[in-house]
Amino acid sequence: MSRKLRVLLTIGLATILAGFISLPMIGVVAAIGVFGYSCTPAVTVTSSPGSTTVSVSKAYFDQFSEADQASKKTIAAMIISIGKERKLSDRSITIAIATAIQESNLTNLPFLGAKNDHKSLGIFQQQPSDQWGTVEQIQDPTHAINAFYDALVKIPDRDSRPMMDVAIQVQVPSLSAYKSRWAWDAIAAEIVAQNADSSSQSCATRNVSGAWQVPLNKGTYVVSSGFGMRFHPILHVWKLHDGVDLAAPQGTPVYAASAGVIASAGVTGGYGNYISITHEGGILTGYGHLSGFATGISKGVQVTAGQLIGYVGSTGESTGDHLHFLLHVDGKPVDPVGFMSSVGVSIHDNARG
């Protein structure tokens, strides 16, 4: 390992530890917010084959667990995707990623009231205000990223000045803390460079065909738990909650979210009675904790959007009646709320008021 890399990692680890003193658990395992999270793929970080130089971005991500890496890479991918949609320069996008690393280590920090600094909210630790938005808005990664870019584009010489100086002008932070901890230019630049040719394809731009709908009737459920890292209520460990929980009475009808083919129907580990359906475009939906299956539902059967497939229950690792609705794109879990929103369906708007 080169001396330069050792210095970078030492500074990086110091930054992480300094930033997490008041939030030791949140910094490592905080969930991505359930609002506005799309299925933009995670960024790619690599080291050149045969090279003796370790990728600084890979070294940065390798400090975290596999699940945390996935969350952080997805946030970085969202920053890149939104920046490209806004036709911003790679330099501006790099500034945004470097700032997000500085502020939260690419973590969507929740609002904890008196337990943390009121600025420790969201990807950029934005303070609720007219400029940044409400607590709920800042917890929406899409809103937070756009709010940061809105402030960034007001700086006319942003692409010719040092990244830290621009970040300070946008964030107006504690200067001493920023200057002593800032060390992310090279890492952020490498992340953007390694993903310069990626499509940053969101759910809205991929080939998603056919009708989509919420798997429960409107007004029959409440959203009880969102997608992201959480402390499992039964296993008592931090792990990815790979879907959204829709609480509803036992026996509430469950419908196919879109047309597809039943990939599985049976008891599946902690999901209990579980159905998975494959759809066009590399998409899979899953329906867990069912009390039972509808007549004729079995592996290989074709279903249409809105077809009855089962009934809400509490089988498997469950603390009460609800549907665990999950969604995978190209084999990777994504937030169903963000995906459904991208195809014109709102899980929250269809929930019981």
Side-chain angles (χ1 to χ4, degrees):
M1 183 182 293
S2 68
R3 182 177 180 277
K4 182 179 179 181
L5 178 59
R6 286 198 299 271
V7 172
L8 269 173
L9 288 179
T10 300
I11 294 172
L13 285 169
T15 300
I16 293 167
L17 291 173
F20 292 167
I21 287 173
S22 62
L23 292 166
M25 188 62 72
I26 294 298
V28 178
V29 297
I32 293 177
V34 299
F35 308 102
Y37 182 75
S38 73
C39 53
T40 301
V43 301
T44 299
V45 292
T46 61
S47 291
S48 301
S51 172
T52 57
T53 303
V54 178
S55 158
V56 291
S57 59
K58 185 176 187 303
Y60 167 74
F61 284 115
D62 282 349
Q63 297 172 91
F64 305 99
S65 71
E66 212 171 288
D68 290 335
Q69 286 187 45
S71 296
K72 295 173 190 301
K73 289 177 182 178
T74 300
I75 287 176
M78 292 181 71
I79 294 172
I80 294 172
S81 179
I82 292 172
K84 288 185 180 296
E85 287 173 5
R86 294 181 62 141
K87 303 188 185 305
L88 297 178
S89 68
D90 285 351
R91 175 78 173 185
S92 291
I93 295 171
T94 299
I95 293 170
I97 290 179
T99 306
I101 295 175
Q102 167 79 9
E103 292 286 2
S104 71
N105 272 301
L106 294 169
T107 303
N108 195 24
L109 296 174
F111 180 69
L112 298 177
K115 293 183 179 180
N116 70 330
D117 187 318
H118 62 283
K119 292 182 180 179
S120 298
L121 180 64
I123 299 167
F124 298 100
Q125 297 197 60
Q126 295 160 335
Q127 180 181 3
S129 64
D130 291 339
Q131 179 180 9
W132 302 123
T134 64
V135 168
E136 291 76 16
Q137 287 175 323
I138 295 171
Q139 283 275 241
D140 173 349
T142 299
H143 174 92
I145 294 166
N146 275 303
F148 179 88
Y149 281 139
D150 287 344
L152 181 69
V153 297
K154 294 176 182 177
I155 303 174
D157 55 350
R158 61 186 178 277
D159 287 345
S160 60
R161 292 172 55 192
M163 291 186 201
M164 183 179 71
D165 291 351
V166 178
I168 287 173
Q169 188 168 340
V170 173
Q171 296 291 97
V172 194
S174 164
L175 293 182
S176 60
Y178 239 65
K179 291 178 178 178
S180 64
R181 293 169 49 197
W182 183 275
W184 311 115
D185 292 20
I187 292 172
E190 188 173 272
I191 290 171
V192 173
Q194 289 189 349
N195 293 271
D197 297 327
S198 67
S199 63
S200 296
Q201 185 183 48
S202 68
C203 299
T205 59
R206 75 166 36 244
N207 181 24
V208 179
S209 60
W212 286 82
Q213 67 168 65
V214 179
L216 299 180
N217 284 326
K218 182 175 183 178
T220 62
Y221 65 90
V222 295
V223 178
S224 57
S225 186
F227 178 94
M229 296 299 295
R230 70 169 186 177
F231 192 72
H232 196 284
I234 295 176
L235 302 179
H236 302 297
V237 295
W238 287 95
K239 63 179 298 187
L240 176 68
H241 185 237
D242 64 350
V244 59
D245 288 346
L246 309 179
Q250 182 175 347
T252 299
V254 176
Y255 306 97
S258 189
V261 177
I262 302 291
S264 65
V267 177
T268 306
Y271 295 134
N273 291 330
Y274 173 77
I275 295 171
S276 63
I277 303 174
T278 56
H279 311 273
E280 290 185 6
I283 299 165
L284 177 142
T285 54
Y287 313 78
H289 307 307
L290 302 173
S291 60
F293 306 103
T295 302
I297 295 300
S298 61
K299 183 176 180 179
V301 171
Q302 280 197 310
V303 294
T304 58
Q307 181 173 333
L308 178 67
I309 58 172
Y311 305 92
V312 169
S314 187
T315 57
E317 294 171 357
S318 171
T319 58
D321 292 319
H322 71 282
L323 172 68
H324 177 77
F325 178 50
L326 64 82
L327 203 146
H328 290 180
V329 176
D330 296 333
K332 298 179 180 179
V334 301
D335 183 358
V337 172
F339 176 93
M340 296 296 276
S341 177
S342 74
V343 295
V345 179
S346 173
I347 288 178
H348 284 283
D349 287 351
N350 282 280
R352 187 167 67 243

